[in-house]
Structures are given as C-alpha cells and as structure tokens.
C-alpha cells in the first residue's frame, strides 16, 4: 500500500485533502503532520507526527528525513503557504530521493506567495488590482487610508491599517518586506 504524507492537517485544506483521498476509492496509508500536537486532523490519518515549523528549514528537513525513512513515504502533499515555499526550495532533494511532492511549478509559487509580485503580474495582464508598492521604496503614491501587509503572509496576518503620514513613517522605519496598498473598501466591507 502506498504511503502519503499530508502536511498541515490541523488546517482546513489539510483536513479537506484527507477527506478527498479517503473518498477517492483508492487505498492509501495516510501520514499526517502538523506543528500543533492537538491538530484537528490527527484522528483522520493512520499515523500522526508533530512537526517543527517549516519556517525552521533545518529542523523541518531533518524531521522529514526521519519520517520518510521510517514510514517509507513516497508522496507528499504540502498544504500551508510556509510548507509550500519550503518544498519549492527543496525540489532537488526530494526529486533525487524519488519522492513526489505535489505543488505548483516554481514560477507560480514564487509569484503568488508574494503580494507585490502577484499584484504586478495581475496588473501586467490587465486585471484590476489595488495599487501596490514595496513599503521600503514607497513615496506617497496613493492617498490615505492605506493598508500595510507582509509580502508573504496569509489569513490577514500582519495587516496594518494606516490613516496618516505619521503612522506610515513610523511603520516604514519599523517594518521590512511589507507592501503598501490602497484601501478598496470601507471598514464594514
């Protein structure tokens, strides 16, 4: 029986993926990993491992090597943004070891995990997007209020609403790898 490893099983995507695999009609042994020891999806997998975060790449890779060897996992389905970024950078390692990782190609990942690259790509192809600038090179191109967002984040993490130039200057000195965007709706929307 083939062994699949699903990451981020505490999240909605990880749990949905497990349900899809179970409902596919094919029989697989499913391993689940998550940084949360109490991850919601742990009861839905055949075996659960508590992992270090993918934002600690050395620890995460060493952990994966042990689990892959112990469980003979040949297929990996990353589900969180941090993990997808990690696996994207480790393609050669997994390919060399005969492990299939189910992620998009490098261009898609590198473009769409970065808010500035995403906005520039969409604008280039005629999509309507909020004006988006790198915070470190921003020079008052848009009017207030503004949103500051980490270039790489998800779920509204790190989002800052800026109402005036004083606030903007404060955050500009303090934050790295952020974007500035026009606000396209009011606070209620």
């Amino acid at each position: 029986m083939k062994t699949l490893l699903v990451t981020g099983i505490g999240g909605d995507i990880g749990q949905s993926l497990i349900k899809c695999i179970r409902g596919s009609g094919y029989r697989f042994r499913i391993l689940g990993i998550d940084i949360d020891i109490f991850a919601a999806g742990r009861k839905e997998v055949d075996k659960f491992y508590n992992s270090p975060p993918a934002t600690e790449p050395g620890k995460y890779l060493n952990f994966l090597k042990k689990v892959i060897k112990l469980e003979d996992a040949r297929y990996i389905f990353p589900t969180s943004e941090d993990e997808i970024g990690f696996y994207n950078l480790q393609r050669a390692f997994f390919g060399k070891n005969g492990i299939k990782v189910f992620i998009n190609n490098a261009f898609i990942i590198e473009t769409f995990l970065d808010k500035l690259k995403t906005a520039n790509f969409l604008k280039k192809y005629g999509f309507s997007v909020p004006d988006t600038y790198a915070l470190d090179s921003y020079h008052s191109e848009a009017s207030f209020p503004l949103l500051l967002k980490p270039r790489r984040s998800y779920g509204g993490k790190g989002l800052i609403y800026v109402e005036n130039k004083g606030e903007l200057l404060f955050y500009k000195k303090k934050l790295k790898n952020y974007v500035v965007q026009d606000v396209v709706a009011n606070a209620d929307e």
Side-chain angles (χ1 to χ4, degrees), residues 4-7 13 26-27 41 49-50 75 89 92 94 124 129 143 146-147 155 157 159 165 167 169:
L4 311 177
L5 188 148
V6 178
T7 74
I13 296 171
Y26 296 100
R27 289 188 22 89
Y49 288 92
N50 182 226
Y75 305 92
L89 295 174
F94 291 104
K124 177 179 175 181
V129 296
S143 59
L146 300 168
L147 289 178
K157 292 180 182 177
L159 183 68
K165 191 169 185 170
E167 289 179 0
L169 293 173

Side-chain angles (χ1 to χ4, degrees), residues 7 54-55 57 60 78-91 94 101-106 108-114 152 154:
T7 74
T55 54
Y60 189 72
T79 65
S80 77
E81 287 85 349
D82 289 336
E83 291 165 324
I84 291 168
F86 168 85
Y87 287 96
N88 183 48
L89 295 174
Q90 297 295 330
R91 285 176 192 272
F94 291 104
V101 178
F102 295 91
I103 56 175
N104 283 313
N105 69 48
I108 290 172
I109 291 169
E110 291 162 11
T111 301
F112 295 104
L113 285 182
D114 181 310
R152 292 182 61 121
Y154 49 92

Side-chain angles (χ1 to χ4, degrees), residues 117-129:
K117 288 181 181 179
T118 298
N120 290 338
F121 177 89
L122 293 173
K123 191 173 187 177
K124 177 179 175 181
Y125 289 98
F127 290 91
S128 178
V129 296

Side-chain angles (χ1 to χ4, degrees), residues 1-186:
M1 184 181 309
K2 294 181 180 178
T3 300
L4 311 177
L5 188 148
V6 178
T7 74
I9 63 165
D12 57 346
I13 296 171
Q15 291 174 57
S16 296
L17 180 57
I18 293 166
K19 287 179 185 173
C20 289
I21 294 167
R22 293 277 189 229
S24 71
Y26 296 100
R27 289 188 22 89
F28 297 104
R29 183 166 174 265
I30 303 175
L31 307 175
I33 67 171
D34 200 282
I35 60 173
D36 181 358
I37 190 76
F38 302 109
R42 67 179 291 156
K43 300 290 186 195
E44 306 303 320
V45 296
D46 297 303
K47 193 158 185 185
F48 171 77
Y49 288 92
N50 182 226
S51 72
T55 54
E56 297 178 23
K59 287 182 185 178
Y60 189 72
L61 183 58
N62 286 334
F63 162 80
L64 287 172
K65 287 177 182 178
K66 289 176 189 170
V67 171
I68 289 166
K69 184 176 181 181
L70 184 65
E71 302 290 348
D72 193 32
R74 308 316 297 156
Y75 305 92
I76 301 176
F77 291 87
T79 65
S80 77
E81 287 85 349
D82 289 336
E83 291 165 324
I84 291 168
F86 168 85
Y87 287 96
N88 183 48
L89 295 174
Q90 297 295 330
R91 285 176 192 272
F93 168 79
F94 291 104
K96 175 177 75 172
N97 288 287
I99 299 163
K100 304 278 188 211
V101 178
F102 295 91
I103 56 175
N104 283 313
N105 69 48
F107 173 79
I108 290 172
I109 291 169
E110 291 162 11
T111 301
F112 295 104
L113 285 182
D114 181 310
K115 288 176 182 61
L116 183 61
K117 288 181 181 179
T118 298
N120 290 338
F121 177 89
L122 293 173
K123 191 173 187 177
K124 177 179 175 181
Y125 289 98
F127 290 91
S128 178
V129 296
D131 288 336
T132 306
Y133 310 91
L135 177 60
D136 58 358
S137 60
Y138 180 74
H139 299 291
S140 301
E141 290 87 351
S143 59
F144 293 98
L146 300 168
L147 289 178
L148 305 183
K149 301 176 181 180
R151 283 182 70 161
R152 292 182 61 121
S153 71
Y154 49 92
K157 292 180 182 177
L159 183 68
I160 300 168
Y161 187 82
V162 176
E163 296 187 52
N164 59 56
K165 191 169 185 170
E167 289 179 0
L168 178 64
L169 293 173
F170 170 80
Y171 287 116
K172 192 171 181 180
K173 290 178 187 174
K174 186 176 177 176
L175 302 174
K176 300 290 180 222
N177 295 316
Y178 266 68
V179 296
V180 177
Q181 280 188 332
D182 281 332
V183 174
V184 295
N186 65 42

